[in-house]
């Protein structure tokens, strides 16, 4: 009878650690003002793009989607495009939950 062994962190899909660090950085740095949120969204976009390049599918697709959403959030917060930033934030929250599920299976 084999004993249950903990699953090593290295079994997680590539890209998860980097993406989760980018998302944690956004939450930590966004603040409450539009300019701070826009800067944090831009930083998250850049970090997620890097993570998406190193990730494996289907995690890579989810990371790229989140990156695009953070770019759109930055555009809306800075006035480059119209629309309610809260709509994008709702999408980000949904996709963050999906990424967390993909990265923490098992």
């Amino acid at each position: 009878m084999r004993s249950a062994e903990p699953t090593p962190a290295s079994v997680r899909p590539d890209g998860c650690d980097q993406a989760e660090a980018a998302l944690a950085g956004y939450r930590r740095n966004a603040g409450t003002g539009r300019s701070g949120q826009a800067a944090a969204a831009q930083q998250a976009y850049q970090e997620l793009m890097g993570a998406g390049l190193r990730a494996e599918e289907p995690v890579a697709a989810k990371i790229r989607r989140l990156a695009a959403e953070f770019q759109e959030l930055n555009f809306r917060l800075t006035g480059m495009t119209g629309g309610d930033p809260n709509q994008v934030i709702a999408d980000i929250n949904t996709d963050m939950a999906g990424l967390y599920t993909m990265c923490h299976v098992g």
Side-chain angles (χ1 to χ4, degrees):
M1 185 169 169
R2 294 177 63 181
S3 63
E5 296 180 20
T7 304
S10 62
V11 174
R12 287 170 35 115
D14 288 341
C16 286
D17 291 337
Q18 298 88 351
E20 288 181 355
L23 297 171
Y26 172 77
R27 288 189 297 271
R28 183 176 54 252
N29 298 324
T32 57
R34 285 177 80 93
S35 63
Q37 291 172 358
Q42 179 63 22
Q43 183 66 36
Y45 162 73
Q46 292 171 345
E47 291 176 12
L48 288 166
M49 286 301 292
L53 292 173
R54 294 183 293 278
E56 58 191 50
E57 295 297 340
V59 172
K62 184 66 77 175
I63 292 171
R64 287 190 302 268
R65 180 176 172 89
L66 276 162
E69 290 167 346
F70 275 104
Q71 185 177 43
E72 177 65 21
L73 179 60
N74 178 48
F75 290 166
R76 289 187 185 194
L77 288 169
T78 59
M80 292 177 68
T81 60
D84 183 2
N86 290 319
Q87 292 171 329
V88 180
I89 291 170
D91 292 339
I92 288 170
N93 288 335
T94 298
D95 286 325
M96 283 174 56
L99 179 67
Y100 185 84
T101 299
M102 293 172 136
C103 290
H104 294 274
V105 295

